[in-house]
Amino acid sequence: MSDEKEHLDKLMQELRRGTITIGVLSQLSNPQYGYSLVTMLAEKGIQVEPGTLYPLLRRLEKQGLLDSKWDTNEARPRKYYLLSETGKNVYDLLVVEWKGIVESLNHVIENKGDGENGDG
């Protein structure tokens, strides 16, 4: 593997780790179980491994951002997750922060090298 590819892979992993939470929260206005979340996110272009998703769901539930409920009516019991009231409020605030970050980064990227430090 080339150095560039190796660096890119590591940086993309860090970037995904930092953005997966907002992606997951965005899909939990209606109850979802783990595999349905993996599928929904994949359909929207966000790849999440179950080994990453399930610990994240448990952590978000422990933090009070998600409520959960077991459905034992099916042959295979499923744990459904849903945003709690706190989770809804935190998600809304997170979206505002995310949009600000995206706007700032777009500005920085589009104006790279235009600084007044003598090299632009």
Side-chain angles (χ1 to χ4, degrees):
M1 181 183 307
S2 72
D3 283 350
E4 291 86 3
K5 176 88 169 97
E6 193 172 319
H7 287 301
L8 180 62
D9 287 348
K10 287 179 183 175
L11 290 169
M12 287 306 298
Q13 186 176 9
E14 287 179 36
L15 191 57
R16 276 191 217 101
R17 190 178 297 131
T19 57
I20 194 112
T21 300
I22 195 168
V24 168
L25 293 175
S26 75
Q27 301 304 298
L28 292 173
S29 298
N30 296 309
Q32 300 294 329
Y33 59 96
Y35 186 74
S36 69
L37 266 174
V38 169
T39 304
M40 287 173 69
L41 289 166
E43 288 172 357
K44 295 175 181 182
I46 300 173
Q47 301 301 319
V48 185
E49 296 297 321
T52 300
L53 179 65
Y54 289 104
L56 174 62
L57 290 171
R58 287 191 294 273
R59 181 170 53 85
L60 294 172
E61 181 180 22
K62 189 175 181 178
Q63 292 172 345
L65 301 180
L66 301 181
D67 292 326
S68 68
K69 184 188 226 177
W70 281 97
D71 180 357
T72 55
N73 294 328
E74 303 288 320
R76 185 178 195 189
R78 291 185 171 143
K79 189 173 188 179
Y80 282 80
Y81 295 89
L82 178 68
L83 285 175
S84 66
E85 279 305 310
T86 301
K88 289 176 190 173
N89 294 333
V90 168
Y91 171 70
D92 289 343
L93 294 169
L94 197 55
V95 168
V96 170
E97 291 296 324
W98 173 255
K99 288 180 178 181
I101 289 168
V102 168
E103 187 176 321
S104 296
L105 278 174
N106 282 339
H107 180 73
V108 168
I109 291 167
E110 290 166 9
N111 296 295
K112 66 179 179 145
D114 292 347
E116 296 178 3
N117 59 3
D119 67 347

